[in-house]
Amino acid sequence: EEPSGAAMEQLKRKVSGAGSTVAVEETPLMKRRREEQEGSTFQKQLAEEHGFESGTWHRPPAPRVDPGLENLIFQQLDIDDTTADPLPGSPDASGGPVPVMRMYGITMAGNSVLCYVYGFVPYFYVKAPIGFQESQCNAFRSQLESAMHSHDKKRDGYEIVKGVELVRAQSIMGYHGGQTDPFLKVSVRLGKDVTAARGILERGDGLGPLASYESDLPLSLRFMIDTDIVGANWIELPAGTYNFMRSSKP
């Protein structure tokens, strides 16, 4: 273990006091410790160029942007999802919480952005029963809705299963020779409802049992796939499609 800066100075004094002089070569470890205490040259240069104290970073003041006239462009750095009350005037305004995607990013000018995206509906697929017809979708949705409420009576009073749609798709398991099969696309209110609905259908609680597909994707990943967003993607919000939220901070 190399001596600390204080121990090295004490060693110098002892040697100098004995009538001798000593030259001690600074090792990489000693240099790193000294820079940690004093601040690195790079940090000092950065502070001088941008006018802030070494070790701190301040975002530039946010410019005034008119959501009705100007596009907002930022680079997405992270994304997650949460739930919130529906927006006033939305189709779900009279119901319970809705899923909200949160996109964290930064503009080219260096301003931080937190973008709340409403309106994305969680969904998954199940293999359609043999002979299932499109005209049976509403009845299937109603049965699943009743089963969902029987498992979670606290949510009585608003819709959980948003819709059931008959689609043709192809499983990635096995060889199908380009042939598609009938599937049911089941859309639900919240991300957690995917797990509950999948369990009901796979167990066959009055419906099925039916094998599920794409039912274990995190909601944020599902959103990125459907909107063609990748990590560090640049996001553009066209004028007239977004609004600024009132900050809860004073």
Side-chain angles (χ1 to χ4, degrees):
E1 181 180 358
E2 298 189 23
S4 64
M8 185 60 68
E9 289 297 326
Q10 187 178 12
L11 177 60
K12 288 181 181 179
R13 287 196 298 271
K14 286 184 178 180
V15 175
S16 299
S20 304
T21 58
V22 62
V24 180
E25 182 179 357
E26 187 178 44
T27 67
L29 179 59
M30 293 167 60
K31 181 181 179 180
R32 187 171 74 249
R33 287 178 175 173
R34 176 175 57 78
E35 289 181 345
E36 288 175 352
Q37 294 175 352
E38 300 176 357
S40 69
T41 303
F42 172 74
Q43 288 176 326
K44 291 179 179 179
Q45 291 176 345
L46 197 63
E48 292 173 359
E49 291 178 6
H50 295 276
F52 58 82
E53 297 180 3
S54 180
T56 64
W57 180 271
H58 300 287
R59 296 292 190 194
R64 291 186 176 275
V65 178
D66 188 339
L69 300 176
E70 300 175 70
N71 295 356
L72 180 61
I73 302 174
F74 64 95
Q75 186 178 31
Q76 175 236 332
L77 303 178
D78 197 5
I79 185 171
D80 64 11
D81 63 272
T82 184
T83 59
D85 292 333
L87 292 175
S90 69
D92 294 312
S94 60
V98 295
V100 179
M101 311 309 303
R102 294 186 297 195
M103 304 179 70
Y104 304 84
I106 185 171
T107 66
M108 184 67 76
N111 297 111
S112 297
V113 174
L114 173 54
C115 177
Y116 295 85
V117 182
Y118 287 76
F120 186 71
V121 179
Y123 66 89
F124 67 104
Y125 298 93
V126 294
K127 196 70 175 288
I130 297 175
F132 191 92
Q133 301 296 318
E134 189 171 0
S135 59
Q136 298 175 278
C137 286
N138 285 336
F140 187 96
R141 191 209 69 80
S142 297
Q143 286 183 271
L144 181 57
E145 177 81 10
S146 298
M148 292 285 287
H149 280 286
S150 67
H151 284 76
D152 189 357
K153 296 186 180 300
K154 294 180 180 179
R155 301 175 66 187
D156 287 344
Y158 61 87
E159 187 179 63
I160 298 178
V161 184
K162 305 290 292 180
V164 175
E165 180 183 357
L166 182 63
V167 299
R168 297 200 68 87
Q170 185 181 101
S171 171
I172 62 173
M173 302 297 292
Y175 175 73
H176 303 275
Q179 181 180 355
T180 59
D181 296 308
F183 288 83
L184 297 179
K185 179 181 177 181
V186 181
S187 302
V188 293
R189 189 177 188 88
L190 301 177
K192 68 177 184 178
D193 296 330
V194 170
T195 303
R198 177 188 65 188
I200 290 172
L201 295 175
E202 288 185 344
R203 289 192 302 268
D205 295 352
L207 294 166
L210 302 174
S212 67
Y213 297 81
E214 299 185 13
S215 58
D216 56 353
L217 288 176
L219 185 58
S220 56
L221 180 57
R222 173 86 276 173
F223 173 78
M224 292 179 68
I225 292 171
D226 287 8
T227 54
D228 294 325
I229 293 176
V230 297
N233 210 156
W234 284 93
I235 307 297
E236 181 172 3
L237 308 180
T241 64
Y242 68 96
N243 286 299
F244 290 114
M245 300 179 67
R246 184 184 299 275
S247 175
S248 59
K249 297 181 180 180

